[in-house]
Amino acid sequence: DAGVTQSPTHLIKTRGQQVTLRCSPKSGHDTVSWYQQALGQGPQFIFQYYEEEERQRGNFPDRFSGHQFPNYSSELNVNALLLGDSALYLCASSRRFNTGELFFGEGSRLTVL
Amino acid sequence: KNEVEQSPQNLTAQEGEFITINCSYSVGISALHWLQQHPGGGIVSLFMLSSGKKKHGRLIATINIQEKHSSLHITASHPRDSAVYICAVRSSYNTDKLIFGTGTRLQVFP
């Protein structure tokens, strides 16, 4: 049984470009949360998706958007990239009403030049 | 001030030592997670606590809800325990998101 898978694992973009990151949750999980982790910091909550809708959002600008598909996989999109968007982007999956079963992907490391 | 504070930020130990990592939080919570992050970036959930104490192998996690404090203990530490240990809480008024501490970097030398 595959756990949470994220792609790509590494990518480099330039300022102003757009990026799409992808996450497939663990089998049986229906809720996906995205986190941004800057170097040396703890992860920061971006948003959570359940039933193809954004349910909660952290303190991130509208440049950060997402989507959840009927198969529960999810995408994170970031527009108009800034240098400060360089970070590890983590996806976590769980079951909606069983938040104790929490699994993280390996992350997508984004570098903005 | 962060809602979740961990101490120490960095910790070095010799193999076999008993390790304690502390976490204090300032919000009401429904649950607290202890997570382990290896250099590659992936995070593994070690424990979820809402009260009392849990043990898994050489790892023990405790929580005191009244004092808003949790500890993670590692007995008989081993170099493979070297990682960043992160405390994260699920607030009682917004259970959909985790609030993370900045982590404790542990290095265990043989």
Side-chain angles (χ1 to χ4, degrees), chain A residues 78-98:
Chain A
V78 187
N79 294 322
L81 285 167
L82 303 173
L83 296 179
D85 296 331
S86 295
L88 180 69
Y89 289 85
L90 292 159
C91 168
S93 77
S94 61
R95 299 185 196 191
R96 180 64 176 160
F97 299 108
N98 184 0

Side-chain angles (χ1 to χ4, degrees), chain B residues 9-99:
Chain B
Q9 288 187 318
N10 294 283
L11 186 53
T12 302
Q14 288 294 125
E15 183 173 356
E17 286 186 6
F18 181 84
I19 304 291
T20 296
I21 300 171
N22 296 299
C23 174
S24 297
Y25 51 90
S26 57
V27 296
I29 69 168
S30 60
L32 181 145
H33 293 259
W34 280 104
L35 310 166
Q36 181 192 57
Q37 186 171 33
H38 280 280
I43 292 178
V44 174
S45 179
L46 299 174
F47 295 103
M48 187 189 76
L49 295 162
S50 54
S51 65
K53 175 179 175 178
K54 286 189 176 179
K55 184 176 190 291
H56 182 71
R58 295 181 294 105
L59 302 178
I60 303 166
T62 64
I63 188 168
N64 184 317
I65 297 295
Q66 287 72 31
E67 295 187 3
K68 296 188 173 178
H69 181 270
S70 176
S71 293
L72 176 68
H73 306 285
I74 305 175
T75 61
S77 59
H78 190 276
R80 66 174 173 267
D81 297 325
S82 299
V84 176
Y85 292 84
I86 304 173
C87 168
V89 302
R90 201 174 290 279
S91 75
S92 51
Y93 67 86
N94 182 353
T95 59
D96 283 338
K97 73 173 190 178
L98 288 173
I99 306 169

Side-chain angles (χ1 to χ4, degrees), chain A residues 65-84:
Chain A
S65 63
H67 190 77
Q68 187 179 35
F69 299 93
N71 67 353
Y72 307 121
S73 66
S74 177
E75 287 182 350
L76 164 65
N77 300 292
V78 187
N79 294 322
L81 285 167
L82 303 173
L83 296 179

Side-chain angles (χ1 to χ4, degrees), chain A residues 9-50:
Chain A
T9 54
H10 295 81
L11 70 166
I12 299 174
K13 293 283 188 178
T14 57
R15 280 179 297 175
Q17 284 189 312
Q18 179 264 344
V19 67
T20 297
L21 309 177
R22 297 176 177 83
C23 172
S24 292
K26 181 177 168 59
S27 177
H29 287 187
D30 55 10
T31 301
V32 173
S33 301
W34 286 93
Y35 297 87
Q36 181 195 63
Q37 186 177 24
L39 200 60
Q41 302 295 316
Q44 298 289 319
F45 176 76
I46 304 175
F47 41 53
Q48 183 185 80
Y49 278 84
Y50 171 68

Side-chain angles (χ1 to χ4, degrees), chain B residues 1-16:
Chain B
K1 190 177 184 337
N2 293 335
E3 292 170 298
V4 181
E5 297 275 357
Q6 286 186 237
S7 63
Q9 288 187 318
N10 294 283
L11 186 53
T12 302
Q14 288 294 125
E15 183 173 356

